[in-house]
Amino acid sequence: MNAEGEPEAPAPQGLLVTNLTNIRYLTGFTGSAGMLFVLPDEAVLITDGRYGIQANEQIADAGAPATVVVAGAAKQKESAQELASELKSLALEAAHITWARQRAFDSDWFPSTTLVPTSGLVEGLRRIKDAGEVARIEEACRIADEALALVRPLLDDAPTEAEFGRVLDFEMRQLGAAGPSFETIVAAGPNAAKPHHRPGSERIGKGAPIVLDFGALVDGYCSDMTRTVWVRGVDDPDLRRAIEVVRVSQAAGVAAVAPGVKCSDVDKACREVISEAGWADAFVHGTGHGVGLDIHEAPSVAATSTDTLEVGHVVTVEPGVYLPGLGGVRIEDTVVVTEDGCRPLTSTPKDLP
Amino acid sequence: MNAEGEPEAPAPQGLLVTNLTNIRYLTGFTGSAGMLFVLPDEAVLITDGRYGIQANEQIADAGAPATVVVAGAAKQKESAQELASELKSLALEAAHITWARQRAFDSDWFPSTTLVPTSGLVEGLRRIKDAGEVARIEEACRIADEALALVRPLLDDAPTEAEFGRVLDFEMRQLGAAGPSFETIVAAGPNAAKPHHRPGSERIGKGAPIVLDFGALVDGYCSDMTRTVWVRGVDDPDLRRAIEVVRVSQAAGVAAVAPGVKCSDVDKACREVISEAGWADAFVHGTGHGVGLDIHEAPSVAATSTDTLEVGHVVTVEPGVYLPGLGGVRIEDTVVVTEDGCRPLTSTPKDLP
């Protein structure tokens, strides 16, 4: 936990949770401001007047053993100081607190408490999803599948990327999603060569792949799916071949997912197929990522990942080939790791034209 | 710039911008990952393979004098080290870099460069909006006004809060918004006592105020407006009086906005009216905030604010009264500070029933 050369810090006697998603995971609270002290004998959420009623309701609903302090800025500092007054050392979420705040805590809020950087403590708990969490992600996946089935025919009317994206988002909300789980990607023709293209005012034409990457949000949980579709065939032979190669690559990745398997080996399974096709350099991103309360969370499915899959992990498998100036292809499922492999939660057919 | 007791750092020879909105402001780049080195003779954006094409296009479109380095994680570190190799000291955005990243930069990436915490450098530039920025915010306000006018009649059919919210969001997108500028608030009846209530499955009933707080996003710029409406009058006499009090308070706040005026005095103008009505404790938040590329940015319009208004600032004025168990009222405009006062950019009538 210590960087080289620093004196050994005392073992932390408490954790101050500042990541709002982690606070939600631990307490049920969904407000946009708050900090949670997790101490040996109590957990205390400090938030402001906008969220007083809501915080008490949500924590009661979740049955979380936390108390709520509602206070303005000056009073928040006082309450925090009181909670930390007996602590020789307090763990902070180093990846979820700004340097500015850590400095203020160190010199002003808690001058006689040693602040200890930690990483991934709550995220570690969040990796393995319980049945209720999987059910929410599965419902988010189902909504995305159904929404795409409903709106797919509109592509034949040459909508703009932005028009198609907003109808897709609206359908997901009509079907019960709180909203999209991230900004929907609709990338047609040459735009599909950009993995994270924002839907624009270009009309979607015939004869070229259209990358649709989107998901739904259900009770805080995300889904994530990419399909590459087209209207009246694909003209370019390289892109036709890319569709086939990515399909085989993605299937190889899903087939590799199982408990005990290294995430880097799932990446390798996808990457080998694409490399053999001569497009090693055209697969410009990692193979996938965990999905849960965040659209991108642990574990990472990439060549550099040191993670190993476990039952209850929910990850994406999403290889792609991008040919600048020409177009691109990506196919992605969200899958849950099971005892004997994995179960895809997204189920839209991959040969959807 | 130094905390007490620290040795004086050398004057920074460069700034590493890590806040993505600040990067967008300076270069036009809208990707979700990147860091921008602003050095004496050059500006260099480092991003990853997902954003290579997009970064080059957007920087060219914006005419920004920046070059782009596209690289994976390992190569990003190398590029950054090369750029920083001659620097004795480098400024970081302390409020927009995590403690974890600062620690990695300090011990691993840039061990022989002194890292200097700075705050608000780019945000300072962003406070005063130029004509093009005001035009985008004004268009976002116009879209919000028009969308509300279109969907207001649906309230008579007793939709749920969530249903009404998603139709409002959809209309904003139909009218040209990229999306809502934040999660739309629809709070009816007792829910309106929660300033940041999330739209729920409750049907919107008659006889109680409904707080609608929402905005549109146009070319990256936000609008922000709140109106309190109702269906067939308001039954409770306290709430009827609150509507009148908040209306007078909000008008007093808008009337106080002018260049040279302290933001705290605008807050005071609003707060006095509400205090005189006996509801000092029921106005549980600040009066407003700046609006621009972020929905909440400088300057702050609050009792504790040390800011003074200047021509070109765009701020909200949004007093409210919240009566737990009963309901709430809030009214908000986005206004631009002009030579002789201010010009409201949101224009939906405040007596909209």
Side-chain angles (χ1 to χ4, degrees), chain A residues 51 97 100 166 169 173 196, chain B residues 51 94 99 169 173-174 196:
Chain A
Y51 295 114
I97 188 162
R166 68 174 171 256
D169 290 353
R173 292 178 72 169
H196 275 202
Chain B
Y51 294 115
W99 187 26
D169 289 354
R173 291 178 74 171
Q174 289 286 87
H196 275 203

Side-chain angles (χ1 to χ4, degrees), chain A residues 248-250 252-256 263-274 287:
Chain A
V248 174
S249 164
Q250 202 265 347
V254 171
C263 288
S264 57
D265 284 340
V266 176
D267 182 88
K268 202 171 162 188
C270 288
R271 210 165 289 278
E272 275 177 357
V273 174
I274 291 174
T287 283

Side-chain angles (χ1 to χ4, degrees), chain A residues 158-229:
Chain A
T160 68
E161 292 173 343
E163 280 166 359
F164 188 76
R166 68 174 171 256
V167 176
L168 186 54
D169 290 353
F170 185 70
E171 278 303 340
M172 289 197 287
R173 292 178 72 169
Q174 290 285 89
L175 293 166
S181 55
F182 58 94
E183 198 179 342
T184 293
I185 295 170
V186 181
N191 290 336
K194 292 178 264 188
H196 275 202
H197 174 70
R198 284 194 166 175
S201 55
E202 297 91 339
R203 296 219 162 266
I204 296 174
K206 300 184 181 69
I210 305 151
V211 172
L212 307 171
D213 186 351
F214 64 105
L217 193 64
V218 171
D219 202 13
Y221 286 80
C222 301
S223 73
D224 196 355
M225 175 169 77
T226 306
R227 289 296 182 267
T228 298
V229 302

